[in-house]
Amino acid sequence: MLHLFTRSYTTTLLNTPKTACLQPASSSFGIRILQSKRLQPRFFHHNTFKQFPNRKPPPKSGKLTPGPATNPSKNLPSTPQPALLDILKAQGQLSQDEAPRDLSHSQRLFAPFIFTLAVCGGSYYFASTWTPPPLDARIFPALPQSVTTIAAIIAANAAVWFAWKIPLPISWRFLNRYFLCAPALPYSVGLMGSVFSHQSLTHLGLNMFALYVFGSTLCDQIGRGNFLGLYFSSGVIASFASLTHNVLRGRFHVYALGASGAVFGVLGAFTYFNPETKLTFVFLPFIALQAKYFMSGVAMLEAFGIVRGWQTIDNVAHLAGLGWGVGMAYWLEQMVKRRREREAIIAKERALKRWW
């Protein structure tokens, strides 16, 4: 899931200690929009009224009775001191800007576009050149490659989630720069880093559960090289689509993170290769729905969300990942067909040579 966060200052990240979820997460893969709460003005601080426990209101009429001499400075409310966590967040924030920098759309999107092309090209090269390692060279030879591949992705996502929970300014600054996708201050590497970031344990668990359900079968079908190429390319395509959508709409108050784009790419490829597979749901075990109908329903729901302008789910990123997964599955199928045709032609030529 990609998460969209709203901040009081557009490019100042992790600058406030409280965030509130406006809408709960969707039942499948969603993007929750979080809006930071501004701190209350100091003269309304909750400690202000605790400093006058014995103070009486003045009389409604008549003359005021002078009381004993007191020091006025003692009755003034003390200035609240920032908490240690707020100080650490302020030290780890990415930018001090109070408004988005004056950049054109092309200036914001050119470098991310080149990075997206580079990741897709690298994914293609990795998928076309990867060969299964020998059994004695594997770390866990007794486990299927699909299990170890999915487990490695889950471990990487969990490690980044734990890194977000460590209150260190250095780690926060690094994560803000390279593990978020912020339209106000875009960094190209953040398109890929945001795929490994998650806002909550529930968010992480839902994404990784969906990845295990669909990814383990798909990895066995297309191989580890093709699966990893599909996963990373789907993630960066979904992130770039989300960034482009937010930049063109001028939504510089949000930033996105989550693996839903990559997971939707896996879902699209899984459905293409297994359209008749029946899916059952944990809370509705008596309902079995074919994968092609499930994916069609999800796609129509995402398209409806774009038309209606839903703010709680990044429908553009989901549709981009889903479409890329289907397109990659079709390309892999055609590539396998062409390779088999070439192998058949070569086999016929060899048979003719033996006959002559």
Side-chain angles (χ1 to χ4, degrees):
M1 297 178 193
L2 288 172
H3 280 244
L4 293 180
F5 291 79
T6 58
R7 314 304 297 177
S8 56
Y9 292 132
T10 57
T11 58
T12 303
L13 307 182
L14 292 178
N15 196 28
T16 54
K18 296 182 180 180
T19 58
C21 182
L22 299 182
Q23 296 290 342
S26 61
S27 58
S28 56
F29 321 115
I31 300 174
R32 285 178 286 177
I33 297 182
L34 304 183
Q35 184 176 16
S36 59
K37 292 183 178 179
R38 295 183 180 224
L39 294 176
Q40 293 181 347
R42 292 181 178 179
F43 45 83
F44 286 136
H45 195 267
H46 61 88
N47 290 332
T48 302
F49 304 99
K50 295 182 180 180
Q51 298 177 1
F52 308 98
N54 299 323
R55 191 171 184 180
K56 297 181 180 180
K60 297 182 179 180
S61 59
K63 297 182 179 180
L64 295 177
T65 304
T70 57
N71 187 0
S73 62
K74 293 183 180 181
N75 293 332
L76 294 177
S78 60
T79 302
Q81 298 298 325
L84 176 61
L85 189 61
D86 298 336
I87 297 176
L88 295 177
K89 287 183 178 180
Q91 294 176 356
Q93 65 190 9
L94 181 62
S95 174
Q96 299 289 344
D97 298 339
E98 296 184 2
R101 297 181 182 179
D102 188 13
L103 301 174
S104 63
H105 293 341
S106 60
Q107 289 175 324
R108 295 181 188 276
L109 297 176
F110 179 74
F113 176 72
I114 298 300
F115 179 80
T116 302
L117 293 180
V119 171
C120 293
S123 299
Y124 169 76
Y125 178 79
F126 176 80
S128 59
T129 58
W130 180 86
T131 56
L135 192 62
D136 56 354
R138 295 177 55 189
I139 301 177
F140 304 101
L143 296 176
Q145 287 190 357
S146 60
V147 174
T148 56
T149 302
I150 300 300
I153 296 176
I154 294 176
N157 281 269
V160 175
W161 182 80
F162 278 111
W164 277 108
K165 303 303 177 181
I166 300 176
L168 295 177
I170 297 178
S171 64
W172 274 340
R173 189 171 185 83
F174 180 81
L175 293 171
N176 279 329
R177 185 183 296 270
Y178 301 115
F179 285 82
L180 289 177
C181 184
L185 193 62
Y187 285 88
S188 300
V189 182
L191 295 177
M192 179 55 64
S194 62
V195 177
F196 293 90
S197 296
H198 293 83
Q199 187 268 337
S200 65
L201 187 60
T202 303
H203 180 211
L204 173 66
L206 289 175
N207 269 340
M208 296 302 100
F209 175 75
L211 175 64
Y212 174 77
V213 169
F214 300 108
S216 56
T217 302
L218 181 64
C219 187
D220 284 331
Q221 291 177 325
I222 65 178
R224 174 184 288 180
N226 291 327
F227 177 81
L228 291 177
L230 170 69
Y231 183 83
F232 289 121
S233 60
S234 297
V236 73
I237 287 291
S239 296
F240 181 74
S242 174
L243 176 65
T244 303
H245 176 70
N246 290 325
V247 168
L248 295 181
R249 292 190 58 187
R251 301 180 64 198
F252 301 122
H253 61 292
V254 302
Y255 58 92
L257 72 165
S260 61
V263 173
F264 266 80
V266 172
L267 172 63
F270 172 86
T271 305
Y272 185 86
F273 289 118
N274 309 276
E276 307 296 333
T277 300
K278 292 184 178 181
L279 304 176
T280 57
F281 303 92
V282 177
F283 300 102
L284 299 172
F286 50 87
I287 296 179
L289 190 64
Q290 291 184 358
K292 59 182 179 181
Y293 298 129
F294 174 74
M295 190 191 72
S296 301
V298 171
M300 289 188 293
L301 183 64
E302 300 293 343
F304 180 77
I306 294 176
V307 175
R308 296 292 298 174
W310 288 352
Q311 301 294 323
T312 57
I313 300 177
D314 196 342
N315 308 106
V316 174
H318 288 180
L319 278 181
L322 190 66
W324 182 261
V326 174
M328 285 295 295
Y330 173 79
W331 178 79
L332 287 173
E333 183 184 48
Q334 297 302 316
M335 185 177 63
V336 171
K337 288 182 178 180
R338 289 192 297 268
R339 184 177 61 189
R340 289 176 178 176
E341 290 175 356
R342 289 194 300 267
E343 291 176 353
I345 293 174
I346 293 173
K348 289 180 180 180
E349 291 177 353
R350 290 177 180 177
L352 289 175
K353 288 181 180 180
R354 293 196 197 98
W355 188 77
W356 285 106

